[in-house]
Amino acid sequence: MEDTWDIINSLAARLDSRSTRRGEERWLVQIVKLQEEVGEVAEAAIGALGENPRKGFSHSWDDVRAEACDVITTGMVLLARMGGDPRRLFEEHLRRLAARDLRPERG
């Protein structure tokens, strides 16, 4: 199987090759797409809980997981479309989060 970031970079390149937008406008479109995906995971969660009186239990928790994967993938594609080395940027960010949030607690 291909490396995750190789797939993400290929998806980003494909989107860029089909886009009529340039530069920051491409990024903005991807940000809007990310927001759309976040809405879909929220819709799936509401459906898994049966909280929409009109639709009832319209989704499963597996649907929620799949939509969450779409959110993550779309965010990664956004990072790739913005240029630079998305793998390095993400890993550095993750290390900063770990250093900040995974420190041993003082008792």
Side-chain angles (χ1 to χ4, degrees):
M1 182 174 170
E2 280 186 85
D3 175 77
T4 299
W5 282 104
D6 290 339
I7 295 168
I8 294 298
N9 287 326
S10 294
L11 290 169
R14 185 172 188 181
L15 288 170
D16 284 346
S17 74
R18 295 178 173 186
S19 179
T20 60
R21 307 281 178 191
R22 297 286 174 244
E24 293 174 356
E25 285 186 351
R26 284 184 180 173
W27 306 349
L28 182 58
V29 169
Q30 191 68 28
I31 291 166
V32 172
K33 179 63 179 170
L34 179 59
Q35 182 62 44
E36 176 188 34
E37 295 296 344
V38 170
E40 289 177 11
V41 76
E43 179 182 14
I46 289 168
L49 292 170
E51 287 297 313
N52 183 329
R54 194 171 41 84
K55 295 181 181 179
F57 288 91
S58 58
H59 292 76
S60 69
W61 288 108
D62 283 340
D63 295 327
V64 176
R65 288 181 189 94
E67 294 295 348
C69 287
D70 286 346
V71 170
I72 294 163
T73 302
T74 303
M76 293 172 79
V77 169
L78 169 62
L79 189 59
R81 292 183 85 183
M82 293 183 77
D85 181 350
R87 178 194 312 262
R88 181 185 56 76
L89 291 166
F90 184 76
E91 288 176 357
E92 286 175 1
H93 185 77
L94 202 54
R95 280 192 291 275
R96 283 192 302 274
L97 290 177
R100 182 189 73 195
D101 296 334
L102 298 178
R103 285 183 253 153
E105 293 187 28
R106 295 180 182 162

